[in-house]
Amino acid sequence: MTKHIFVTGGVASSLGKGLTAASLGRLLKQRGLRVVIQKLDPYINVDPGTLNPFEHGEVFVTDDGGETDLDLGHYERFIDENLTRDSNATTGSIYSTVLAAERRGDYLGRTVQVIPHITDEIKRRISALASDDIDVVITEVGGTVGDIEILPFLEAIRQFRLDVGRDNVCYVHVTLVPYIAPSGEHKTKPTQHSVIELRSRGIQPDAIVCRSDEPIGDNLARKIANLSSVPAEAVVNAPDASSLYEIPLVIHEEGLDDVICDLLRIDAGPPDLTEWIELNRKVEAATSPVRVGLIGKYVSLVDAYLSVVESLKHAGIQLGADVEIDWIQAEDVEGLLTEDRLRKLDGIVIPGGFGERGVEGKIAAAGYARENDVPCLGLCLGLQCMTIEYGRNVLGLDRAHSSEFEPSTPHPVIDLMDSQRDVTDLGGTMRLGAYVAQLQPGSQVAKMYGEEVVSERHRHRYEFNPRYRSQYAGTDFVCSGESPDGRLVEFIELKNHPFWVATQAHPEFKSRPTRPAPLFLGFMEAALQRAEGRNPQLLAVDATIDA
Ligand code: GLN
């Protein structure tokens, strides 16, 4: 019988509920259990694909092309398993299913209501993950207890325990224990209130994870236990950690996984944390400074590039590099070309994006990196900008552009494929999810991957325009990876440059802390080399700036 753990949040959002769920997943996996994690999101969008990254952070793409919540990225990185689109359900997608069934007449004339029809569909989504080869399903309920939108989800998870039996379900509540500076104390009242709110929906938490800035101490934990009717050992404290990779070790130290295994009557030995402890050791040992410029459009919300940043960290950890990210607003790049800010960079990443704003800055950054031998990694839109840059400035293709941004360009080096042109539903034209690429033997990318057939996840509409392949051929610009039928360009690289490499895919979605994505590893190696070899003149400039 598959066991279910439901993770809810109280008091405030952004407490790291997703990381708690992910960490718990890792601990259970290390006990030999087969774990899957899912996020239920109370918002009405059918999926996060259309959400502004400014507002909601990055859209995480799964192998099967699901456009999902960024918490799925934490789950995949922590449990080191590929998830599917089924691991994310929003209110919108649940209503869509119910409404489609209603239109088909499946409800036989009955009144369709939140209870039982919406709640039944939520329960169906939860059960759908509990296949024979899964021991534990962890379900994170997005939002905070007390939100209006969350009510059907709480009702569904309350009923779920009745449906599958007491010993097969447990509820973990993640709350905030704030520090009130004037009184010099951590306060339990918000946690008490959020537990009361949860109970008013019929859910008694089995365990409480108290998030705090500093450790709260046993007395407060006991007080929370008493007031919440939770055994003392089931109140665990997770103070802010210096690295998110510490979280599994912290909550294990606090005994959360033991408590949960007891509650769910899971008979599994202690977790084997060797690999995870080694990871944390490497994090501490990663001290060689490397400065990477991330040329972004959404730099004011770092979550918009969460997987890219994580992938850079993974590569840094592996190579002993302490990665510092300089968040550069793409529109500012042209004004910075002669400034020290760019000269101080050991590498440049041009990430993905949609919409015209900032594109010229990204193209300028690609040119700067090319001319100054700065390692440069292009991801999706990054590949497109690097292709445009080379077309304009080396091949002399006047005003070369992507037809996404300049429909009347004389040289659409990036364009829609003919097959996509007539599709009116933009959603239908996206290339989403895992696609295989064939790498050129002996190329830089083939060396990085160590194999010639690779699969990466995609999320884009535009492609390198095949009509321009011949103009790039025979130059230093090499199309070093293609779709198996040879029609689509998947990877590019530049001869006679330390690292000027890009992919039409998003390799950041497959990087794991213990298995960095090959392209990021190659990029970081080149950036480290540059950092180590930075010429003394430049270091002198650094010194004056810092002084
Ligand atoms: N806007 C570009 C396209 O749709 C790139 C998308 C991306 O970077 N994810 O092709």
Side-chain angles (χ1 to χ4, degrees):
M1 175 79 200
T2 305
K3 306 286 183 175
H4 289 266
I5 301 168
F6 292 103
V7 180
T8 56
V11 182
S13 55
S14 307
L15 285 182
K17 222 174 347 121
L19 282 166
T20 306
S23 301
L24 191 52
R26 181 73 193 203
L27 292 175
L28 297 176
K29 183 177 173 183
Q30 294 312 114
R31 286 173 178 256
L33 300 166
R34 294 160 305 172
V35 180
V36 70
I37 316 189
Q38 158 185 67
K39 171 103 188 258
L40 301 176
D41 270 314
Y43 54 76
I44 313 237
N45 304 62
V46 172
D47 65 41
T50 53
L51 286 174
N52 186 342
F54 268 136
E55 200 171 307
H56 202 77
E58 88 177 358
V59 174
F60 186 81
V61 181
T62 50
D63 265 347
D64 64 348
E67 296 180 276
T68 71
D69 187 83
L70 54 74
D71 271 320
L72 269 78
H74 287 313
Y75 305 162
E76 283 202 354
R77 288 187 284 269
F78 273 60
I79 63 170
D80 199 5
E81 300 280 348
N82 290 336
L83 300 173
T84 67
R85 63 171 73 242
D86 294 340
S87 272
N88 194 192
T90 68
T91 294
S93 74
I94 287 156
Y95 269 79
S96 287
T97 306
V98 171
L99 290 173
E102 189 273 336
R103 290 290 85 184
R104 279 196 310 269
D106 291 0
Y107 296 108
L108 304 171
R110 285 195 303 270
T111 311
V112 180
Q113 295 182 298
V114 173
I115 303 170
H117 302 103
I118 296 297
T119 45
D120 280 354
E121 177 59 21
I122 297 172
K123 290 196 288 182
R124 197 189 61 75
R125 302 283 179 109
I126 297 165
S127 305
L129 288 190
S131 58
D132 286 345
D133 53 0
I134 290 296
D135 299 311
V136 183
V137 178
I138 302 178
T139 302
E140 175 191 353
V141 182
T144 306
V145 168
D147 295 346
I148 289 177
E149 300 91 338
I150 208 176
L151 293 177
F153 293 96
L154 295 183
E155 174 60 14
I157 67 171
R158 183 192 68 78
Q159 292 179 13
F160 203 86
R161 188 180 226 173
L162 296 176
D163 295 351
V164 301
R166 269 204 93 70
D167 294 344
N168 298 320
V169 169
C170 82
Y171 302 105
V172 177
H173 192 50
V174 183
T175 80
L176 177 67
V177 180
Y179 180 75
I180 307 296
S183 64
E185 285 176 315
H186 283 101
K187 291 292 184 187
T188 64
K189 196 71 82 186
T191 294
Q192 293 177 42
H193 280 284
S194 92
V195 171
I196 290 169
E197 177 71 34
L198 193 56
R199 280 212 207 112
S200 77
R201 302 295 158 199
I203 298 171
Q204 163 65 41
D206 297 299
I208 298 181
V209 177
C210 301
R211 292 277 296 108
S212 55
D213 52 355
E214 298 287 335
I216 60 172
D218 288 346
N219 282 345
L220 277 200
R222 257 194 305 275
K223 186 172 167 191
I224 291 169
N226 267 335
L227 292 161
S228 312
S229 305
V230 170
E233 66 273 15
V235 174
V236 306
N237 185 201
D240 292 345
S242 57
S243 142
L244 49 90
Y245 307 114
E246 283 176 17
I247 303 171
L249 301 181
V250 170
I251 63 172
H252 172 65
E253 197 67 24
E254 287 276 303
L256 183 64
D257 48 323
D258 275 336
V259 165
I260 284 173
C261 286
D262 282 352
L263 277 163
L264 294 175
R265 306 201 193 293
I266 294 173
D267 190 15
D272 173 4
L273 295 174
T274 325
E275 191 183 29
W276 207 260
I277 290 169
E278 173 62 10
L279 171 69
N280 277 276
R281 194 199 56 73
K282 280 190 179 162
V283 171
E284 293 213 343
T287 50
S288 294
V290 169
R291 187 180 304 206
V292 174
L294 201 145
I295 316 294
K297 177 175 164 187
Y298 313 106
V299 292
S300 55
L301 180 72
V302 296
D303 272 359
Y305 299 106
L306 185 61
S307 292
V308 174
V309 172
E310 283 302 304
S311 305
L312 288 169
K313 280 200 226 157
H314 301 164
I317 292 167
Q318 182 82 9
L319 298 170
D322 180 15
V323 183
E324 186 195 335
I325 295 189
D326 186 3
W327 295 91
I328 300 176
Q329 186 73 43
E331 292 101 307
D332 298 343
V333 172
E334 288 156 291
L336 293 173
L337 289 174
T338 53
E339 301 283 322
D340 286 330
R341 181 159 173 202
L342 291 194
R343 283 208 284 150
K344 289 170 83 176
L345 299 177
D346 303 314
I348 289 178
V349 174
I350 308 178
F354 292 83
E356 198 190 346
R357 190 167 66 73
V359 166
E360 286 302 327
K362 291 182 174 181
I363 295 169
Y368 175 86
R370 184 177 57 74
E371 287 176 349
N372 293 284
D373 283 343
V374 181
C376 180
L377 175 62
L379 307 167
C380 205
L381 178 61
L383 174 139
Q384 301 178 353
C385 289
M386 288 158 77
T387 303
I388 294 166
E389 193 282 325
Y390 199 83
R392 283 185 194 171
N393 299 326
V394 181
L395 303 182
L397 300 170
D398 183 38
R399 290 172 39 225
H401 221 316
S402 160
S403 54
E404 177 181 8
F405 310 123
E406 177 60 70
S408 61
T409 170
H411 295 295
V413 292
I414 304 294
D415 201 4
L416 284 180
M417 299 300 278
D418 288 337
S419 55
Q420 295 173 310
R421 228 175 277 280
D422 302 328
V423 186
T424 47
D425 166 15
L426 279 183
T429 64
M430 257 301 202
R431 184 144 80 102
L432 278 170
Y435 283 85
V436 164
Q438 179 75 48
L439 307 183
Q440 202 179 87
S443 61
Q444 224 176 330
V445 290
K447 282 186 198 132
M448 282 187 269
Y449 278 95
E451 47 198 350
E452 281 163 20
V453 178
V454 301
S455 167
E456 294 287 5
R457 300 178 189 172
H458 288 247
R459 179 171 184 252
H460 59 103
R461 294 189 182 93
Y462 291 79
E463 306 280 354
F464 189 112
N465 187 343
R467 285 196 286 277
Y468 282 87
R469 283 290 288 275
S470 58
Q471 308 218 28
Y472 285 77
T475 69
D476 277 355
F477 185 108
V478 183
C479 295
S480 50
E482 303 176 330
S483 56
D485 64 3
R487 273 172 10 107
L488 305 173
V489 173
E490 295 280 24
F491 291 85
I492 61 162
E493 61 191 60
L494 195 63
K495 285 187 204 150
N496 303 314
H497 190 286
F499 190 103
W500 200 80
V501 177
T503 171
Q504 189 55 70
H506 288 280
E508 67 270 25
F509 293 136
K510 283 178 63 177
S511 185
R512 307 272 160 89
T514 48
R515 275 187 300 121
L519 240 44
F520 281 85
L521 210 49
F523 167 74
M524 194 55 67
E525 229 155 32
L528 252 176
Q529 249 169 39
R530 186 177 168 87
E532 282 158 8
R534 253 197 269 176
N535 68 49
Q537 225 180 336
L538 204 54
L539 290 175
V541 174
D542 285 1
T544 39
I545 289 173
D546 294 339

